Amino acid sequence: MTFRSGHPDIDRYLAEGYDRVRGMSSRFAATICGHVIRRQSELGIAGHVAEIGTFEGRFFIAMALGLAPGERALGIDLFDWPNSGVLDLLHGHCARNGLARERYEALKANSRALTPADILGRLGGPVRFFHIDGEHERESLTADLDLAQAVLHPQGIICLDDMLHPGYPLLLVAVHEWLERHPEMRVLCVIDREDIVAAAKFMICHAEAVALYEQDLMTSFQPQHFVLGAEFERYFCVVLTPHPRLAEVD
Ligand SMILES: C[S@@+](CC[C@H](N)C(=O)[O-])C[C@H]1O[C@@H](n2cnc3c(N)ncnc32)[C@H](O)[C@@H]1O
């Protein structure tokens, strides 16, 4: 089944370019996030996009192609894995997929060493969509969440990668503890995994911003909506999955 974000540049990239950029994010998740970025523009939510863990740019390019004129993308990475050639590969993929150099910056840095001012200064304003996919370790994820929240547009989204990934079960503990300390933030949506190398994402936003996105996601991706939702003790959030169904009892 083909999923669409509704943004022509993002959908063209997802159809023709995505698989040619090495990376780990799933096309299903990138489609839904592209849809959300398009919806933000339609709602007048202006701002930039940022990513920790840009690697060769697979997910970064999808986000950045959804930006409105004057908005910019910031990709943060150590850019040393598997070797220093990864930064040139990122620039090559961006150019080939229509993302001009003036629309983005690749920042070679350890996210743990960055302050909110570093990000706001580079972008010139708040971030409306922040993808966190850097160091998969509890303390780092907590620090990355603090950094993202500090630069987030009040109606913006933080998107977390590799939630519920069998290889990183304790990341969820960090997210749960962080949400307990930030009751003003909520998980808006769980975007289900496609494969062990393209695991689930969580989209998080301010509780007051949930209504801007929730019904729209359930309606726009109705065939992918798992109607039982995900239980977060005090609320349920939307779950989108490529093939919604219950396990068969045999
Ligand atoms: C799983 S890959 C990212 C995949 C990419 N987002 C995608 O969708 O294809 C993780 C990346 O995080 C980067 N990374 C790990 N620790 C980091 C840190 N402390 N600061 C910045 N980047 C980091 C790694 O260099 C690596 O490129």
Side-chain angles (χ1 to χ4, degrees):
M1 182 182 287
T2 305
F3 307 107
R4 298 179 65 79
S5 75
H7 189 296
D9 293 346
I10 296 176
D11 286 333
R12 192 176 316 113
Y13 166 64
L14 292 174
E16 296 167 12
Y18 199 74
D19 286 343
R20 294 179 59 205
V21 180
R22 242 175 6 137
M24 294 79 167
S25 289
S26 80
R27 190 201 309 266
F28 179 60
T31 306
I32 290 164
C33 294
H35 169 94
V36 166
I37 289 169
R38 176 178 65 79
R39 178 162 171 80
Q40 288 180 324
S41 297
E42 288 168 3
L43 291 170
I45 300 170
H48 308 282
V49 300
E51 181 177 53
I52 295 172
T54 297
F55 189 49
E56 292 191 19
R58 170 182 273 202
F59 192 84
F60 180 74
I61 295 168
M63 288 192 303
L65 288 174
L67 289 171
E71 297 174 335
R72 299 183 70 241
L74 179 64
I76 300 158
D77 202 299
L78 301 167
F79 290 120
D80 63 359
W81 181 82
N83 55 57
S84 59
V86 68
L87 192 51
D88 287 339
L89 289 173
L90 168 71
H91 291 311
H93 294 318
C94 290
R96 198 177 65 247
N97 288 289
L99 185 63
R101 267 308 263 273
E102 60 272 18
R103 294 177 66 194
Y104 76 94
E105 181 182 353
L107 175 60
K108 186 173 167 61
N110 185 331
S111 63
R112 296 290 295 270
L114 296 177
T115 65
D118 291 328
I119 293 178
L120 293 170
R122 285 190 149 76
L123 289 172
V127 174
R128 61 163 155 137
F129 198 97
F130 201 128
H131 186 224
I132 298 179
D133 192 10
E135 193 167 349
H136 285 37
E137 189 262 317
R138 281 170 68 176
E139 270 187 27
S140 295
L141 178 55
T142 303
D144 288 349
L145 273 163
D146 287 340
L147 185 64
Q149 194 199 19
V151 302
L152 193 68
H153 185 291
Q155 295 170 328
I157 301 277
I158 300 173
C159 182
L160 306 179
D161 191 52
D162 284 337
M163 298 293 98
L164 313 169
H165 189 300
Y168 308 102
L170 292 186
L171 285 187
L172 215 50
V173 178
V175 176
H176 179 64
E177 288 173 353
W178 189 86
L179 287 168
E180 289 291 297
R181 287 197 301 281
H182 293 279
E184 75 280 15
M185 305 298 284
R186 260 191 55 172
V187 179
L188 162 70
C189 179
V190 174
I191 308 171
D192 191 24
R193 55 185 303 119
E194 262 173 332
D195 186 38
I196 196 158
V197 293
K201 290 190 198 291
F202 283 6
M203 287 199 284
I204 294 177
C205 66
H206 279 99
E208 297 94 73
V210 167
L212 293 173
Y213 302 105
E214 191 175 48
Q215 185 59 50
D216 170 71
L217 285 170
M218 292 189 285
T219 307
S220 303
F221 294 96
Q222 197 268 332
Q224 286 76 53
H225 183 206
F226 177 69
V227 294
L228 296 182
E231 189 194 326
F232 278 88
E233 291 187 350
R234 287 186 290 279
Y235 59 90
F236 282 80
C237 84
V238 181
V239 176
L240 299 177
T241 178
H243 309 292
R245 65 197 187 284
L246 291 172
E248 283 181 24
V249 182
D250 46 19

